[in-house]
Amino acid sequence: MTITDRITNQYGYYTEDYREFVITNPRTPRPWFNYMWNGHYTGLVSHTGGGFSFLDSPRDNRINRMRYNSLPWDRPGRYAIVKDVSTGNYWSLSWAPTIDLNYDKYECHHGQGYTTIITEIYGIRGEITYFVPTDANAEIWRITLTDLSGSDRNLEIYTFTELLMGNALNDLINQPNDKHFTDIHFDVNLQALVATRRYWVLNKGVSVKQPNIDWKYQIYFTQTLPITGFDSSLDTFIGRWRSEANPEAIATGVMQNTEITAGDPIAALQSKLELPAHGTSNFAVILAISPKGDPSPLQKEGQNLANLEHIDRQFAQLKQKWDRHLSAVQVSTPDRNFDLMLNVWNQYQAAVTFDMARNAGYYHGGLLFGTGLRDQFQDILGVVMVDPDRVRRRLLNALRFQFQNGSTLHNFFKLTNTGERTNHSDTPLWIPFGIVEYLNETADFSILDEVVAYHDDSESNAGGTVYEHTIRALDYAIANLGEHGMPKIMTGDWNDTLDYVGPQGKGETTWGAFFLGYVLKKTFPLLELHGDRETLSRFQTVYEQIGQSVNDICWDGEWYLRAFRDNGEPIGISAHTQGKIFLNAQSWSVISGLAPKERGDRALASCQKYLAKPYGMQIVFPSYTEVEDNVGLISRCVPGKKENGAIFNHASSWFVLASLLNGDVDFGFEIYQRMMPLNSSKDMDRYEVEPYVYAEYVTSPDHPTQGQASHSWLTGTAVWMLRIGIDFIIGFQPTLTGMAIDPHIPSGWQEFRAQRKFRGKTLHLHVKNPLGKNSGVSSMQVNGVEVKGNFLDLSLYPETELNIAIAQLEK
Ligand code: IFM
């Protein structure tokens, strides 16, 4: 690939294999983050080395600090500073915090699970790679320094990170008291700073009443170069009226070797390094955590984290892990942006959302949300193709937060197993959604017999099977239908900001009705296979009734209204001056199969008329400009942002799906394209956030900052765009009994190829489209043999590699 072929923007480009996004100008509009994590140890790392880490819970078990509400928003971080002793010059290997210096070169390579920053300045090339090993609760900063000047160099290396250790919310609001419990010493045998805290807030909130327990972990901070000094007092290391950009210890070259029992903690180390002319030095910094009382991870035989060869093997393992992960799906189509998203970045983002939910991000500070049940059951969609065992465990874990009556907590925190019971009307329904998706992928029906306790079970009630959990979620929703025969909206539905539409328990949701219909329908094949005819026929009746109710009372003429308030007044109708048309009520009328064709057509055409914008679909139009107390937060939010009229990508993806299902494939694909980050970020200085992952929203023309995006990374958009791309555009649609092949492609695509792993086999698909159609497969060849229809019954094929050829699309 020549430079001009590169997929590029003003701040960087994708490597040829799309596996890295390389930032070449560090002055990005915002910090651009990446994740490094292994399911327990997680670090956010920005393109300047900023960010924080935690073990399991970003609220309860934070390792190092993040400074909220200050600029730049990625400080502090994990810094390695090199000092040239002969000149006194010092500089950071990650650009920040010494950003005022004139670097000759800067590059940040964000890859899957690692970030490498390359700099050149003062005749030294530095390369620092941050990553979390797959099998150790630690982070590694792997460093290579090379002399470019041709002279011998006398260097000092300073590495440091500000510690928190424990409850990050408490650290934020009670910091002056919280600093009386720190214990840090330098362990001479280990050659490491060892840090802990004699106190841990591990209760639901932070309160005046204090717990009486130790933080149960110890942190180890070391580096593979001989250590010549250390500090654990932040004040001492930084010095008075200085900052991380010019610590006194670095300016003077003198570490005070502080071992603190009170005060703000830092882990800072100093080493000396003689680098010969043109010479190279390799070393690493290790920040590890393990339970108090366990042997130090720095001493483990054969797995010594402080051993450079072991570290390099771990990095190779990480790369192999991602090679395997991404091999689940690979596509080759005429649209390079589409390919790079599906093959790498969309799969990667979906893996991040699977582990982070809406919890630990730059825009989700990790203090409030925990793991949302609704999000969790959607986020499995990205990973289930790759790691069904992990998804199985995740589903069984999340079911513990369902009550006996079928309702659920809205969210939960990993370490405390507590959460909020908010009564969002849709949350329980994502359980059947997730279970059926898991079964479609795996056909692992044994999960249905697993027994999981309900959240309100007593000792004597041993819980219910997964099958029962699934049915109870639906029965809870059915038991909570309102006067119009539609679900009561209660605290809100998928749209969290419709939170005051139905607080008295009367208001009803049209989107919720379509969603309930969709989920009911999704369970029909499962109920059939399970032989549960009684439930099947009951659910089929409810499905019909919902369809009848919604079509009787929710059709406004050109689209479906969005909800009824407690007092029976509708919202989302043409007679209103604000919030006239809501996207979700239209898309889901089609997705659920409950809109008659003519109404579905008109509803989607209205969306096209009022809601289609250059970057995707606006969630509601016109945005609310006046506060409406009996609608909720949506009308308090400024117009054009978030749920109040932004291009809300998650909802926008559902419009794409509805369009594909409705036969409007070219327009649906066009919206898909508009939403892809490289397209929506064309005006990068306006868009601001990472151009390699989806953001939750892009500001619509209803706000002066239109085109500005926010809440990147942690959004349900990731899994929906991924699965709409794989299942509906490419057309691999898994079912309980096999795989339907049903592409929906733009008429301009003359052919494409794709590959997907499925139940132990690899499916290779080659679709030709000589007639310039969008969809319609009436026959295909499987390993050279003609098959009628588009369904692949895997039991007919002993082979593990299946070549599926489609000669033409017909619709
Ligand atoms: O549905 C929610 C999601 O759970 C969190 N982000 C906002 C969405 C819409 O309100």
Side-chain angles (χ1 to χ4, degrees):
M1 191 187 280
T2 65
I3 297 237
T4 46
D5 284 340
R6 270 182 185 162
I7 299 187
T8 175
N9 77 14
Q10 154 191 8
Y11 291 92
Y13 64 92
Y14 285 97
T15 51
E16 196 174 338
D17 59 3
Y18 309 142
R19 291 288 291 266
E20 291 182 342
F21 188 82
V22 184
I23 301 162
T24 47
N25 174 357
R27 294 186 185 276
T28 54
R30 291 199 168 253
W32 286 357
F33 273 87
N34 193 11
Y35 284 85
M36 46 183 187
W37 81 111
N38 62 14
H40 293 289
Y41 193 107
T42 300
L44 279 87
V45 55
S46 79
H47 72 292
T48 79
F52 62 87
S53 300
F54 60 91
L55 187 72
D56 290 320
S57 166
R59 184 191 67 177
D60 304 316
N61 222 8
R62 191 71 72 92
I63 292 169
N64 41 15
R65 279 220 174 109
M66 150 118 182
R67 246 187 273 301
Y68 292 85
N69 303 330
S70 72
L71 285 172
W73 286 4
D74 64 345
R75 301 265 179 96
R78 309 164 179 91
Y79 300 126
I81 294 207
V82 179
K83 182 173 177 183
D84 185 331
V85 177
S86 55
T87 62
N89 291 328
Y90 57 88
W91 64 96
S92 166
L93 295 182
S94 58
W95 184 63
T98 53
I99 62 174
D100 292 330
L101 301 175
N102 284 325
Y103 282 79
D104 300 323
K105 177 179 179 125
Y106 162 90
E107 266 179 16
C108 166
H109 296 235
H110 280 322
Q112 289 73 56
Y114 70 90
T115 287
T116 299
I117 301 174
I118 299 168
T119 52
E120 287 176 12
I121 183 171
Y122 298 128
I124 296 281
R125 177 186 163 91
E127 194 171 320
I128 180 164
T129 296
Y130 301 97
F131 75 99
V132 168
T134 54
D135 57 3
N137 289 328
E139 61 184 80
I140 310 290
W141 315 351
R142 170 77 169 81
I143 297 171
T144 303
L145 296 182
T146 307
D147 171 67
L148 305 175
S149 71
S151 308
D152 293 348
R153 309 296 292 264
N154 179 8
L155 304 175
E156 286 169 355
I157 314 296
Y158 297 85
T159 56
F160 57 97
T161 185
E162 202 172 315
L163 297 177
L164 191 157
M165 301 189 285
N167 190 306
L169 188 56
N170 199 48
D171 184 65
L172 194 63
I173 63 180
N174 194 25
Q175 190 252 0
N177 288 324
D178 212 33
K179 55 184 183 183
H180 295 113
F181 305 91
T182 322
D183 251 330
I184 309 185
H185 70 276
F186 187 76
D187 184 313
V188 177
N189 288 331
L190 293 173
Q191 286 295 297
L193 280 166
V194 180
T196 190
R197 177 191 285 283
R198 311 182 213 177
Y199 159 60
W200 194 13
V201 178
L202 189 63
N203 47 17
K204 192 171 167 231
V206 174
S207 66
V208 173
K209 187 167 180 288
Q210 300 293 352
N212 192 18
I213 51 170
D214 261 26
W215 189 49
K216 71 174 191 200
Y217 296 97
Q218 259 174 192
I219 283 176
Y220 300 83
F221 189 69
T222 190
Q223 57 199 30
T224 56
L225 290 174
I227 293 166
T228 50
F230 59 85
D231 264 313
S232 66
S233 158
L234 178 68
D235 292 2
T236 307
F237 179 73
I238 299 288
R240 291 186 188 164
W241 304 104
R242 287 171 170 267
S243 78
E244 59 253 10
N246 58 0
E248 184 162 345
I250 300 181
T252 59
V254 181
M255 301 290 271
Q256 301 295 338
N257 295 350
T258 48
E259 297 182 295
I260 62 166
T261 54
D264 283 312
I266 193 168
L269 298 174
Q270 181 202 50
S271 293
K272 313 230 179 217
L273 179 66
E274 303 282 340
L275 191 62
H278 301 298
T280 289
S281 168
N282 285 293
F283 57 97
V285 180
I286 300 104
L287 173 61
I289 182 169
S290 68
K292 270 183 193 155
D294 277 14
S296 157
L298 303 181
Q299 282 172 317
K300 276 193 192 159
E301 224 171 296
Q303 287 186 0
N304 185 345
L305 279 175
N307 173 301
L308 215 51
E309 281 172 15
H310 180 63
I311 286 172
D312 288 345
R313 274 197 304 277
Q314 284 178 316
F315 189 61
Q317 253 174 45
L318 178 74
K319 289 228 167 181
Q320 282 159 11
K321 176 192 139 168
W322 282 104
D323 289 346
R324 251 194 330 273
H325 185 115
L326 300 177
S327 72
V329 176
Q330 288 293 301
V331 303
S332 171
T333 74
D335 187 321
R336 282 210 293 163
N337 276 353
F338 182 81
D339 291 1
L340 84 85
M341 287 309 291
L342 248 58
N343 291 347
V344 183
W345 287 90
N346 201 170
Q347 287 197 62
Y348 180 53
Q349 184 181 3
V352 169
T353 59
F354 178 71
D355 279 317
M356 309 304 150
R358 310 293 168 270
N359 199 7
Y362 174 59
Y363 302 91
H364 299 85
L367 303 177
L368 177 63
F369 294 112
T371 300
L373 262 271
R374 166 206 287 153
D375 306 317
Q376 182 84 120
F377 282 93
Q378 290 171 81
D379 292 343
I380 61 147
L381 278 172
V383 172
V384 73
M385 298 177 294
V386 179
D387 197 347
D389 292 344
R390 264 192 92 203
V391 167
R392 191 182 206 272
R393 290 197 294 277
R394 200 56 80 78
L395 293 171
L396 295 176
N397 179 58
L399 287 175
R400 296 186 301 136
F401 303 105
Q402 186 180 26
F403 295 95
Q404 290 175 23
N405 71 356
S407 69
T408 59
L409 288 183
H410 188 59
N411 62 344
F412 65 90
F413 285 85
K414 261 191 188 169
L415 294 180
T416 59
N417 288 323
T418 54
E420 278 186 71
R421 191 177 196 172
T422 58
N423 282 333
H424 281 78
S425 53
D426 66 313
T427 307
L429 287 174
W430 293 101
I431 291 177
F433 169 87
I435 297 292
V436 174
E437 287 293 345
Y438 170 77
L439 291 172
N440 282 343
E441 184 67 33
T442 60
D444 165 27
F445 296 101
S446 71
I447 194 176
L448 297 172
D449 299 325
E450 293 277 359
V451 174
V452 180
Y454 291 100
H455 204 58
D456 51 350
D457 272 351
S458 59
E459 295 266 306
S460 56
N461 189 335
T465 62
V466 170
Y467 187 74
E468 284 159 5
H469 277 264
T470 305
I471 303 300
R472 280 193 198 189
L474 283 155
D475 275 332
Y476 176 77
I478 294 168
N480 281 284
L481 297 177
E483 268 169 31
H484 298 99
M486 297 162 30
K488 294 179 186 166
I489 188 167
M490 300 191 271
T491 314
D493 56 24
W494 169 87
N495 189 329
D496 289 329
T497 62
L498 296 176
D499 44 350
Y500 286 87
V501 171
Q504 291 159 26
K506 287 185 153 183
E508 291 167 56
T509 153
T510 315
W511 173 78
F514 288 133
F515 182 57
L516 173 57
Y518 164 83
V519 178
L520 283 167
K521 196 170 165 198
K522 209 173 170 77
T523 62
F524 294 166
L526 172 61
L527 301 175
E528 183 99 53
L529 266 182
H530 207 249
D532 190 349
R533 305 242 24 114
E534 190 274 323
T535 309
L536 174 61
S537 102
R538 206 158 54 77
F539 283 1
Q540 280 170 332
T541 308
V542 179
Y543 178 79
E544 299 300 329
Q545 282 166 350
I546 291 173
Q548 183 78 43
S549 309
V550 178
N551 280 298
D552 283 352
I553 54 175
C554 296
W555 183 248
D556 185 56
E558 295 296 322
W559 59 79
Y560 289 96
L561 63 86
R562 177 61 172 85
F564 292 102
R565 307 174 211 242
D566 276 330
N567 64 8
E569 282 173 14
I571 66 169
I573 58 171
S574 56
H576 286 164
T577 52
Q578 51 182 6
K580 279 170 185 277
I581 172 169
F582 281 75
L583 181 62
N584 281 348
Q586 321 319 320
S587 313
W588 283 83
S589 73
V590 174
I591 297 171
S592 64
L594 288 171
K597 176 74 175 118
E598 185 262 343
R599 281 195 178 173
D601 285 347
R602 276 166 82 179
L604 295 191
S606 299
C607 294
Q608 189 166 344
K609 181 165 170 195
Y610 296 106
L611 304 175
K613 303 287 144 127
Y615 308 124
M617 302 299 290
Q618 186 161 336
I619 189 171
V620 60
F621 177 83
S623 307
Y624 285 84
T625 48
E626 312 263 314
V627 172
E628 289 192 27
D629 283 336
N630 53 4
V631 175
L633 202 62
I634 186 171
S635 70
R636 292 186 180 276
C637 179
V638 293
K641 285 197 173 276
K642 274 271 203 184
E643 285 93 336
N644 190 14
I647 314 304
F648 208 91
N649 278 325
H650 193 168
S652 191
S653 74
W654 289 332
F655 174 82
V656 172
L657 176 58
S659 301
L660 301 180
L661 295 176
N662 201 47
D664 312 328
V665 177
D666 283 322
F667 188 65
F669 188 76
E670 190 184 319
I671 296 298
Y672 193 101
Q673 274 185 315
R674 290 186 201 178
M675 290 169 63
M676 285 192 291
L678 261 182
N679 291 333
S680 48
S681 70
K682 281 251 152 62
D683 185 351
M684 198 62 248
D685 286 320
R686 192 156 259 275
Y687 185 81
E688 296 188 350
V689 310
E690 297 90 334
Y692 38 87
V693 288
Y694 289 100
E696 184 195 62
Y697 74 88
V698 185
T699 309
S700 76
D702 289 0
H703 191 271
T705 59
Q706 68 163 301
Q708 180 188 57
S710 191
H711 294 56
S712 51
W713 281 105
L714 304 185
T715 161
T717 314
V719 286
W720 282 92
M721 289 299 272
L722 180 68
R723 294 304 296 262
I724 289 169
I726 299 168
D727 297 22
F728 293 92
I729 296 174
I730 295 298
F732 286 120
Q733 289 181 19
T735 73
L736 296 179
T737 52
M739 177 73 88
I741 309 290
D742 195 8
H744 295 76
I745 59 171
S747 46
W749 284 12
Q750 290 180 350
E751 68 176 316
F752 72 88
R753 288 175 190 272
Q755 177 181 307
R756 188 201 198 280
K757 297 210 170 125
F758 185 58
R759 299 187 193 167
K761 298 192 189 294
T762 305
L763 315 183
H764 305 268
L765 177 65
H766 182 194
V767 175
K768 289 192 175 160
N769 184 24
L771 308 176
K773 302 283 184 183
N774 292 124
S775 62
V777 176
S778 61
S779 72
M780 52 194 190
Q781 286 203 340
V782 180
N783 283 355
V785 178
E786 193 77 10
V787 172
K788 280 262 158 285
N790 68 344
F791 188 72
L792 196 61
D793 178 350
L794 293 185
S795 65
L796 302 177
Y797 302 96
E799 305 93 321
T800 51
E801 306 283 316
L802 297 184
N803 289 304
I804 306 159
I806 293 171
Q808 62 178 44
L809 297 177
E810 289 160 18
K811 284 207 291 209

